[in-house]
Amino acid sequence: MRVCAHCGEENPDRFPLCGFCGTPFPTTSAQEVRKVVTVVFSDLKGSTDLGERLDSEALREVMSRYFDVMREALEGHGGTIEKYIGDAVMAVFGLPTLHEDDALRGVRAAAAMQAGLVALNDELDRRWGVRLQNRTGVNTGEVVAGDPAAGQRLVTGDAVNVAARLEQAAPANAVLLGPLTQRLVEEHVETEPLEPLELKGKAERMPAFRLLALRREPRRPRHARAPLVGREAEMGALEAALGEIRSDGARLVTLLGPPGVGKSRLAEEFATSARRDATVLRCRCLSYGRGITFWPLAELVHEAAGIDETTTPDLALVRLETLTGDDEPVTRRVAAAIGLSTEQFPVDELFWGARKLLERLARERPLVLLVEDLHSAELTFLDLLEHVVTSAEAPLLVVGTARHDLLELRPTWSDGPRARRLTIDVLSSAQTAEVVERLLGDASIPAVARRRIVDAADGNPLFAEQLLNMMIDEGLLSRHENRWLAAADLEALEMPPSLHALLAARLDQLGAEQRAVLEPASVVGLEFEVAAVRALAAEGVGAAVETQLPVLSRKQLVLPIAAPEQDPAYRFRHGLVREAAYHRLLKRARADLHERFAAWAGERYQARARGDELDEILGYHLEQAYRYLGQLGPLDDHGHALGAAAAYRLAAAGRRAFEREDMPAAANLLRRAGALLEPGDPRRRTLLLSLGEAYTDIAEFALAEIALEEAEAAGDPAGAAIAALLRVLARAQGGGGAEWGDRIVPAAGTAIAALETAGNRAAAATAWRAMAWAHGTTGRFGLAAEAADHAVAHAIAAGDDRQRRRASAQYAVAAVYGPTPVPAAITRCREIIDRAHGDRRTEGLVRNLLARLVAMDGDVAGARELYRAAQRTLRDGGRSTVAASTSLDTCGVEMLAGDPVAAERELRRDFEALEEMGERYLRSTVAGELVRALIAQGRTEEAASYSSAAEEMAADDDVASQALWRAGRARLLVRAGETQRAVGLAADAVRLLE
């Protein structure tokens, strides 16, 4: 027999659909999935004593009544009772189908259980002289869910155990909520936090919250609500419809769009505007419950008549009569529809009564009805709305919000002379950024955080709001005076639980074949070829891929993207949809699908993908397969082979990124490759040197030191020497102080001797570059140029074009700041740019240096054009200390142009960027230049603060920074009239530079 997952009735195996409710049985084999569900666990307190007081027959009747009341509360809110365990009952919200409000349903059910027990106790006391007490725990978390129709257990996972532990910790007749449940329902309930509980089987204490009450109206979010941005056209269309009803009668406008796109926000803004000239009533269509067909009509009547939960039925009827003008036929029919009477009328009569009431309400002023969530409406209520719009002779506007699911129920909905649809599309990136800025009011947000939110939200304002709030809740954003500071690990941000519940519910309500297509597609990535999904789909599903993808597109879950000359392909409508589909899969299934896709893609893309692209794609999928298998238990030989294959691919892609100066990508790829190899593996040691250099370049100094320290300990003498040198460089830039001058030159000398003896010309080039850098920072530009020449020679001999370009750029620095005449330095810089061969980092760095030379040669306009192009080039490459220090040359251009305000603007931008990175060496120099720009504007107090900052950050023997600080301080002393001290500091600066 087959059990229907919808109604629970048994059917013969041969039935294609349920003979009781008509629900189709899945055509694919039963599959366990991962779901985030809410578990309610409740147990009687003191049941043993109860057994001693009552006869077994009476006890059975008492327990039967108790479980009837508990079951009614649980099932009435959509819960599925998995089992009774003695005196305990366990129910799951989210099975067989997830809903976005499962946590709230579970909490409401728990509250209903408590209310039901109060009423039941009066009955039990009268009949048997007993009163019952229970305890309840409600917890939300990820479980592995089976298919009850296939005889599988409903749920397995830690979330179930925690619900039981919460119940055991609860006082009598109390409900305790787990932390995720509390977070999901906090706007709808009143709770009090408890001391973190020490629960059996949990290593750490867990937060818990006691449920106090349900709120009638949800409170406003703890943080900000998304403002209305970019909806001018839609607002204009609604206002035009409001104007039309005054002369042409009723109208229906349906706002269609995916969850979170801003339908309700637009309707709310329109309602605020419309209230100036019209009466506005609001209602919502419920997704579950008994007697919900006319629930929205009841909400409209309650609002118009002033009926609330304190109004008695008799008084409510009186207020309805007043609303209808004592029109008895209308009153009786509306009362029957909304549950104020038990009279029965045909549906047509109920429609007539509701229409007459609405016409009366619109008689004095135009009437606007806002009806939310039409996709959840019963079909009969949709019929009522259509009847009102087509028949009402009154200025009446119905504005409904709905997801595209509504068109599955009513493909022709809003078609007609009195109806129209407005599709609410996602916002542009610029509009999403505006939403984020306006959410924060007067406080500015770091660009990296704004970009992270904008990219992840993908034009959905609700997603932007939730992501921002989660960043604040998780401490990834913290306010400091009038700006927000971002943590370093923004990339670790996960999908907010509220969004996960929203999207997971949408996917869970799809047909089995649609999910069987969407889930393997999520393994492929945000974009996927139809052929790839067909190759990965389960047996019996492959043929359905082409037919189901257009259906998923109509549901706004995927979009076709293929050009005519390409193979058919689609893209997930939103990255978070893809993430929700992916998280449904069991980890073992993910591992299998990732491995299968790598094998398929290796053959498919071999001829048309670049080497690094193919390596990164295949490396990622092999890496994921390896990691998921590792999470499920000890790896076998096959698992280790997957890890080695993934490391090989990722390392190859990382080396190519390193060679083309894409250091953020190189650091990411090399880190992942190294993590897949055992610490003693020689392949890992070779990755660490490049990884350490890449980390230093992107200002991750602590990570650079960790990588290089391991490389130093594990390498041969030559390898240890270059690792030690690179570690000194990383520590110096990260704030190592005196180690800059004391250790770089001797460390470089040691490394050069070892590497030249070993014949390692490429690593020797690195060491000579470090030597050039150290000499340059101490003002010895002649020695810096000589060291850079050695580095160029070694790089050419090694065939290492990246090293040659970097050494040439260092030579350019020496030419600009050393004794080389300006015309000769300009010529040398232009030669270096010409030989860069598309190396954007070298081009940007040298072009920025060239800008200072061109300004010195008298062409300020040309200099500005050069440095702006250089900044665009360097910033396009991502976060790096090089991109964040261009002002050290551009400020010179602006000072030569006589514009210290522009120089200050350039310097402040870089100072803040370097401060965010934790970089100290370059920032101290920027601070010293800021002193000069501020003094030129007469702002000596501010200059003094930056002079102190420069002094604090400058290394004791970082000659350039010390000299710049002394020169700036001397200028301040001159303005303060302390000429003698100023002369002494200026002399110190000259002596240092000599």
Side-chain angles (χ1 to χ4, degrees):
M1 300 292 285
R2 306 178 75 174
V3 179
C4 176
H6 183 72
C7 68
E9 297 290 346
E10 292 184 346
N11 291 262
D13 290 336
R14 66 181 183 276
F15 275 26
L17 49 81
C18 177
F20 295 87
C21 69
T23 300
F25 287 113
T27 57
T28 57
S29 58
Q31 179 184 356
E32 292 183 326
V33 295
R34 300 178 80 94
K35 288 185 175 185
V36 175
V37 302
T38 296
V39 179
V40 176
F41 201 101
S42 187
D43 192 12
L44 271 179
K45 183 176 182 294
S47 57
T48 303
D49 295 340
L50 190 66
E52 293 179 354
R53 296 170 55 192
L54 295 177
D55 179 81
S56 58
E57 187 174 330
L59 177 63
R60 182 176 181 83
E61 292 178 2
V62 167
M63 296 302 296
S64 178
R65 283 291 297 125
Y66 170 75
F67 282 121
D68 283 346
V69 172
M70 298 301 104
R71 183 177 63 252
E72 182 178 1
L74 291 165
E75 293 181 345
H77 286 82
T80 299
I81 295 178
E82 179 173 12
K83 56 188 175 183
Y84 296 98
I85 313 167
D87 301 332
V89 58
M90 171 185 158
V92 184
F93 290 78
L95 290 179
T97 304
L98 288 174
H99 308 88
E100 61 196 77
D101 59 347
D102 279 322
L104 184 56
R105 293 183 185 206
V107 173
R108 284 174 171 163
M113 291 165 69
Q114 299 305 310
L117 182 58
V118 170
L120 175 64
N121 273 332
D122 291 339
E123 173 191 332
L124 299 181
D125 198 8
R126 288 193 305 270
R127 240 182 120 181
W128 288 286
V130 298
R131 302 187 74 85
L132 304 179
Q133 294 180 323
N134 67 5
R135 303 175 300 195
T136 304
V138 185
N139 188 55
T140 303
E142 188 175 62
V143 299
V144 174
D147 182 357
Q152 296 172 336
R153 187 177 177 187
L154 287 182
V155 291
T156 306
D158 188 54
V160 179
N161 300 328
V162 171
R165 299 289 180 255
L166 286 170
E167 173 270 312
Q168 292 167 5
N173 294 331
V175 177
L176 296 192
L177 311 183
L180 181 53
T181 306
Q182 154 71 14
R183 185 168 183 173
L184 288 167
V185 305
E186 60 183 339
E187 295 175 16
H188 301 271
V189 301
E190 296 290 347
T191 60
E192 64 175 0
L194 305 179
E195 287 293 323
L197 301 177
E198 187 171 340
L199 301 181
K200 182 179 178 182
K202 305 297 290 184
E204 297 182 358
R205 290 178 174 270
M206 195 184 78
F209 302 82
R210 181 169 181 169
L211 178 66
L212 300 178
L214 301 176
R215 294 178 60 87
R216 174 174 168 77
E217 295 291 337
R219 69 165 63 89
R220 292 183 65 83
R222 287 165 299 145
H223 305 307
R225 286 192 64 198
L228 189 68
V229 172
R231 301 301 184 199
E232 293 80 9
E234 293 85 350
M235 182 66 78
L238 288 169
E239 290 171 349
L242 181 59
E244 290 169 2
I245 66 172
R246 291 184 173 90
S247 57
D248 296 333
R251 290 287 187 275
L252 167 65
V253 179
T254 306
L255 307 179
L256 279 175
V261 79
K263 304 181 297 294
S264 296
R265 187 71 185 82
L266 174 61
E268 178 183 318
E269 194 77 10
F270 170 66
T272 301
S273 172
R275 284 192 177 94
R276 293 192 300 265
D277 305 308
T279 300
V280 179
L281 301 176
R282 306 182 62 158
C283 64
R284 180 184 299 276
C285 303
L286 300 183
S287 58
Y288 76 96
R290 293 181 182 144
I292 63 172
T293 298
F294 292 109
W295 177 270
L297 176 62
E299 283 195 321
L300 294 173
V301 173
H302 290 172
E303 183 178 358
I307 298 170
D308 59 28
E309 70 273 8
T310 65
T311 308
T312 64
D314 290 341
L315 180 57
L317 197 57
V318 169
R319 291 181 177 175
L320 175 60
E321 290 170 349
T322 302
L323 201 65
T324 64
D326 290 327
D327 187 327
E328 182 185 1
V330 173
T331 301
R332 290 170 56 205
R333 285 156 179 77
V334 173
I338 67 174
L340 289 180
S341 82
T342 57
E343 269 193 284
Q344 298 294 317
F345 293 94
V347 168
D348 290 347
E349 290 293 307
L350 299 178
F351 284 9
W352 175 85
R355 173 169 62 85
K356 287 299 183 182
L357 172 60
L358 295 175
E359 286 177 339
R360 175 177 174 78
L361 293 177
R363 189 174 301 165
E364 295 182 3
R365 298 183 80 207
L367 178 62
V368 176
L369 305 181
L370 296 186
V371 188
E372 295 202 53
D373 298 337
L374 281 172
H375 51 273
S376 296
E378 296 290 319
L379 295 179
T380 301
F381 183 71
L382 295 179
D383 291 338
L384 169 60
L385 291 182
E386 288 188 332
H387 167 78
V388 168
V389 171
T390 56
S391 305
E393 297 178 356
L396 171 65
L397 175 61
V398 179
V399 177
T401 67
R403 301 174 189 171
H404 286 85
D405 301 351
L406 174 64
L407 301 183
E408 297 289 320
L409 299 172
R410 290 287 179 87
T412 60
W413 179 261
S414 286
D415 286 344
R418 292 193 171 196
R420 65 173 299 189
R421 301 174 193 161
L422 287 179
T423 298
I424 313 301
D425 291 322
V426 296
L427 301 175
S428 67
S429 295
Q431 290 169 333
T432 308
E434 183 182 349
V435 168
V436 175
E437 293 291 350
R438 289 173 59 182
L439 280 168
L440 293 176
D442 61 345
S444 61
I445 182 173
V448 62
R450 181 173 57 248
R451 183 171 60 252
R452 177 78 175 93
I453 294 171
V454 170
D455 290 347
D458 202 15
N460 189 300
L462 175 65
F463 293 2
E465 174 190 337
Q466 294 289 323
L467 288 162
L468 175 62
N469 288 344
M470 187 171 184
M471 279 187 175
I472 296 171
D473 289 340
E474 298 294 327
L476 298 176
L477 275 178
S478 56
R479 183 156 184 168
H480 179 70
E481 296 179 352
N482 66 337
R483 65 191 180 114
W484 291 82
L485 301 179
D489 56 346
L490 288 181
E491 294 303 318
L493 182 68
E494 297 180 351
M495 188 193 312
S498 55
L499 296 189
H500 183 277
L502 175 69
L503 297 173
R506 288 193 72 199
L507 300 184
D508 216 43
Q509 291 161 19
L510 297 174
E513 281 192 340
Q514 292 166 8
R515 290 195 301 269
V517 170
L518 212 56
E519 287 164 5
S522 72
V523 172
V524 178
L526 190 63
E527 297 182 0
F528 54 91
E529 292 184 32
V530 174
V533 180
R534 194 188 310 113
L536 298 184
E539 185 178 354
V541 177
V545 172
E546 280 84 353
T547 60
Q548 293 302 328
L549 282 171
V551 175
L552 294 168
S553 180
R554 289 195 296 272
K555 291 178 178 288
Q556 301 290 299
L557 294 170
V558 298
L559 297 169
I561 60 169
E565 66 275 9
Q566 295 176 323
D567 295 324
Y570 283 79
R571 180 186 188 277
F572 279 93
R573 178 85 185 211
H574 197 286
L576 296 180
V577 174
R578 180 251 168 192
E579 190 176 334
Y582 185 76
H583 279 293
R584 284 180 51 88
L585 292 164
L586 297 183
K587 290 184 177 180
R588 196 170 300 281
R590 294 179 206 171
D592 176 63
L593 289 168
H594 278 296
E595 183 180 358
R596 287 170 53 201
F597 177 75
W600 180 86
E603 298 179 5
R604 178 80 165 184
Y605 300 144
Q606 188 67 50
R608 56 178 172 167
R610 294 190 320 176
D612 52 346
E613 291 174 346
L614 184 61
D615 281 331
E616 187 168 353
I617 291 170
L618 301 185
Y620 165 77
H621 288 282
L622 292 168
E623 175 192 32
Q624 295 303 105
Y626 166 85
R627 294 206 175 283
Y628 284 125
L629 289 177
Q631 291 173 18
L632 295 172
L635 290 167
D636 57 13
D637 290 344
H638 177 67
H640 286 296
L642 283 175
Y648 172 80
R649 293 286 189 178
L650 293 173
R655 284 192 292 268
R656 280 190 287 267
F658 188 83
E659 289 163 5
R660 65 174 182 265
E661 306 283 359
D662 185 358
M663 292 305 181
N668 174 47
L669 292 163
L670 294 173
R671 172 189 59 78
R672 290 159 55 198
L676 295 166
L677 300 171
E678 295 298 321
D681 193 317
R683 293 171 297 179
R684 177 178 167 84
R685 291 200 300 267
T686 61
L687 294 175
L688 293 173
L689 290 173
S690 297
L691 178 59
E693 190 173 349
Y695 272 143
T696 301
D697 201 81
I698 62 174
E700 294 289 358
F701 305 114
L703 294 175
E705 284 204 63
I706 291 170
L708 293 166
E709 186 175 14
E710 183 182 339
E712 184 180 358
D716 53 37
I722 189 64
L725 171 60
L726 292 174
R727 190 155 66 93
V728 173
L729 285 170
R731 183 174 297 175
Q733 290 194 65
E739 287 181 322
W740 183 260
D742 285 346
R743 295 189 59 187
I744 290 177
V745 172
T750 301
I752 288 167
L755 294 165
E756 288 184 343
T757 300
N760 189 337
R761 305 295 294 272
T766 299
W768 276 111
R769 285 196 299 110
M771 184 76 82
W773 196 358
H775 285 315
T777 61
T778 54
R780 299 191 293 268
F781 294 110
L783 292 175
E786 183 181 335
D789 264 341
H790 281 295
V792 170
H794 278 292
I796 291 173
D800 190 334
D801 201 43
R802 183 191 71 86
Q803 294 263 39
R804 179 191 63 77
R805 295 191 303 268
R806 282 214 165 186
S808 297
Q810 285 182 288
Y811 189 94
V813 173
V816 170
Y817 290 98
T820 307
V822 169
I826 289 175
T827 300
R828 189 61 188 267
C829 284
R830 293 195 188 280
E831 289 173 353
I832 292 171
I833 293 171
D834 290 341
R835 291 199 298 267
H837 303 308
D839 175 5
R840 295 174 62 79
R841 184 185 187 278
T842 299
E843 288 179 358
L845 176 60
V846 178
R847 190 170 280 120
N848 201 62
L849 291 163
L850 180 59
R852 178 187 279 266
L853 292 169
V854 169
M856 293 167 66
D857 203 35
D859 183 5
V860 172
R864 284 172 170 158
E865 185 177 337
L866 278 167
Y867 84 61
R868 286 166 185 159
Q871 288 174 336
R872 286 193 298 270
T873 299
L874 292 171
R875 290 171 191 164
D876 191 50
R879 164 181 157 131
S880 72
T881 55
V882 172
S885 57
T886 58
S887 62
L888 292 175
D889 289 302
T890 63
C891 74
V893 172
E894 296 302 344
M895 293 298 285
L896 287 168
D899 191 350
V901 174
E904 178 196 353
R905 182 173 61 247
E906 291 286 309
L907 291 160
R908 282 192 186 280
R909 182 200 61 239
D910 282 359
F911 186 89
E912 291 174 2
L914 292 167
E915 183 178 36
E916 187 178 313
M917 294 178 187
E919 202 278 346
R920 293 174 61 87
Y921 167 69
L922 292 169
R923 182 157 49 105
S924 69
T925 311
V926 171
E929 291 285 3
L930 259 171
V931 172
R932 188 160 68 102
L934 291 167
I935 289 174
Q937 299 174 59
R939 293 155 60 190
T940 55
E941 287 190 16
E942 286 183 76
S945 68
Y946 278 101
S947 177
S948 299
E951 179 184 11
E952 181 182 340
M953 288 182 288
D956 292 339
D957 54 357
D958 172 3
V959 176
S961 294
Q962 287 290 334
L964 187 60
W965 167 74
R966 282 169 169 75
R969 177 65 73 179
R971 292 188 188 94
L972 288 171
L973 290 172
V974 168
R975 286 182 175 271
E978 299 185 38
T979 308
Q980 188 172 354
R981 289 180 61 197
V983 170
L985 279 172
D988 286 346
V990 171
R991 186 171 59 255
L992 284 168
L993 292 174
E994 287 176 344

